[in-house]
Coordinates of all heavy atoms in Angstrom, one line a residue:
R1026 N -56.3 28.5 21.4 CA -56.2 29.2 20.2 C -54.7 29.3 19.9 O -53.8 29.6 20.8 CB -56.8 30.6 20.4 CG -56.7 31.4 19.2 CD -57.5 32.6 19.4 NE -57.4 33.4 18.2 CZ -57.9 34.6 18.1 NH1 -58.5 35.2 19.0 NH2 -57.8 35.2 17.0
R1027 N -54.4 29.2 18.6 CA -53.0 29.3 18.1 C -52.6 30.8 17.8 O -53.5 31.5 17.2 CB -52.8 28.4 16.9 CG -52.9 27.0 17.3 CD -52.6 26.1 16.1 NE -52.8 24.7 16.5 CZ -52.2 23.7 15.9 NH1 -51.3 24.0 15.0 NH2 -52.3 22.5 16.3
F1028 N -51.4 31.2 18.1 CA -50.9 32.5 17.7 C -49.6 32.3 16.9 O -48.8 31.4 17.2 CB -50.5 33.2 19.0 CG -51.8 33.6 19.7 CD1 -52.3 32.7 20.7 CD2 -52.4 34.8 19.6 CE1 -53.5 32.9 21.4 CE2 -53.6 35.1 20.3 CZ -54.1 34.2 21.2
T1029 N -49.4 33.2 15.9 CA -48.2 33.2 15.2 C -47.3 34.4 15.6 O -46.1 34.4 15.3 CB -48.5 33.4 13.7 OG1 -49.3 34.5 13.4 CG2 -49.1 32.1 13.2
D1030 N -47.9 35.3 16.3 CA -47.2 36.6 16.7 C -47.4 36.7 18.3 O -48.5 36.6 18.7 CB -47.8 37.8 16.0 CG -46.9 39.0 16.2 OD1 -45.7 38.9 16.2 OD2 -47.6 40.0 16.5
P1031 N -46.4 37.0 19.0 CA -45.0 37.1 18.6 C -44.3 35.7 18.4 O -44.8 34.7 18.9 CB -44.3 37.9 19.8 CG -45.1 37.4 21.0 CD -46.5 37.3 20.4
V1032 N -43.3 35.7 17.6 CA -42.6 34.5 17.4 C -41.8 34.2 18.7 O -41.2 35.1 19.3 CB -41.6 34.7 16.1 CG1 -40.7 33.4 16.0 CG2 -42.4 34.9 14.9
L1033 N -41.7 32.9 19.1 CA -41.0 32.5 20.2 C -39.7 31.8 19.8 O -39.7 31.1 18.8 CB -41.8 31.5 21.1 CG -43.2 32.0 21.6 CD1 -43.9 31.0 22.5 CD2 -43.0 33.3 22.5
R1034 N -38.7 32.0 20.6 CA -37.5 31.2 20.4 C -37.4 30.1 21.4 O -37.7 30.2 22.6 CB -36.2 32.1 20.7 CG -34.9 31.4 20.5 CD -33.7 32.2 20.7 NE -33.7 33.3 19.8 CZ -33.7 34.6 20.1 NH1 -33.8 35.0 21.3 NH2 -33.7 35.6 19.1
I1035 N -37.3 28.8 20.8 CA -37.4 27.6 21.6 C -36.0 26.9 21.6 O -35.4 26.8 20.7 CB -38.4 26.6 20.9 CG1 -39.7 27.3 20.6 CG2 -38.5 25.4 21.7 CD1 -40.5 27.6 21.9
G1036 N -35.6 26.6 22.8 CA -34.3 25.9 23.0 C -34.6 24.5 23.3 O -35.2 24.1 24.2
I1037 N -34.1 23.7 22.3 CA -34.2 22.3 22.4 C -32.8 21.7 22.4 O -32.0 21.8 21.4 CB -35.0 21.7 21.2 CG1 -36.4 22.2 21.1 CG2 -35.0 20.1 21.2 CD1 -37.2 21.9 19.9
F1038 N -32.4 21.1 23.5 CA -31.2 20.6 23.8 C -30.1 21.7 23.6 O -30.2 22.8 24.2 CB -30.8 19.3 23.0 CG -31.8 18.3 23.2 CD1 -32.6 17.8 22.2 CD2 -32.0 17.7 24.5 CE1 -33.6 16.8 22.5 CE2 -32.9 16.7 24.8 CZ -33.8 16.3 23.7
H1039 N -29.3 21.6 22.6 CA -28.3 22.7 22.4 C -28.6 23.5 21.2 O -27.8 24.4 20.7 CB -26.9 22.2 22.2 CG -26.4 21.4 23.4 ND1 -26.2 22.0 24.6 CD2 -26.2 20.1 23.6 CE1 -25.8 21.1 25.5 NE2 -25.8 19.9 24.9
D1040 N -29.8 23.3 20.5 CA -30.2 24.1 19.4 C -31.3 25.1 19.7 O -32.1 24.9 20.6 CB -30.7 23.1 18.3 CG -29.5 22.2 17.9 OD1 -28.3 22.7 17.8 OD2 -29.8 21.0 17.7
S1041 N -31.5 26.0 18.8 CA -32.5 27.1 19.0 C -33.3 27.1 17.7 O -32.8 27.1 16.6 CB -31.8 28.4 19.2 OG -32.8 29.4 19.4
Y1042 N -34.7 27.2 17.9 CA -35.6 27.3 16.8 C -36.6 28.4 17.1 O -36.8 28.8 18.2 CB -36.4 25.9 16.7 CG -35.5 24.7 16.5 CD1 -35.0 24.0 17.6 CD2 -35.1 24.3 15.3 CE1 -34.1 22.9 17.4 CE2 -34.2 23.3 15.0 CZ -33.8 22.5 16.0 OH -32.9 21.5 15.9
E1043 N -37.3 28.7 16.0 CA -38.4 29.7 16.1 C -39.7 29.0 15.8 O -39.8 28.1 15.0 CB -38.1 31.0 15.1 CG -36.9 31.7 15.7 CD -36.8 33.1 14.9 OE1 -37.6 33.3 13.9 OE2 -36.0 33.9 15.3
T1044 N -40.7 29.5 16.4 CA -42.0 28.9 16.3 C -42.7 29.3 15.0 O -42.6 30.5 14.6 CB -43.0 29.4 17.5 OG1 -43.1 30.7 17.6 CG2 -42.5 28.8 18.8
I1045 N -43.5 28.4 14.5 CA -44.5 28.7 13.4 C -45.7 29.2 14.1 O -46.3 30.2 13.6 CB -44.7 27.5 12.5 CG1 -43.4 27.1 11.8 CG2 -45.8 27.7 11.6 CD1 -43.5 25.8 11.1
D1046 N -46.2 28.5 15.1 CA -47.3 29.0 15.9 C -47.2 28.4 17.4 O -46.3 27.5 17.5 CB -48.7 28.6 15.2 CG -48.9 27.2 15.2 OD1 -48.5 26.3 16.0 OD2 -49.5 26.8 14.1
W1047 N -48.0 28.9 18.2 CA -47.9 28.4 19.6 C -49.2 28.7 20.3 O -50.1 29.4 19.8 CB -46.8 29.2 20.4 CG -46.9 30.7 20.4 CD1 -46.4 31.6 19.5 CD2 -47.6 31.5 21.4 NE1 -46.8 32.8 19.8 CE2 -47.5 32.9 20.9 CE3 -48.4 31.3 22.4 CZ2 -48.1 33.9 21.6 CZ3 -48.9 32.2 23.2 CH2 -48.8 33.6 22.8

Side-chain angles (χ1 to χ4, degrees):
R1026 184 171 179 187
R1027 294 180 182 212
F1028 293 85
T1029 56
D1030 188 46
V1032 174
L1033 302 179
R1034 180 177 298 119
I1035 307 294
I1037 301 175
F1038 305 115
H1039 299 293
D1040 297 318
S1041 180
Y1042 301 92
E1043 291 190 351
T1044 56
I1045 293 172
D1046 63 37
W1047 58 271

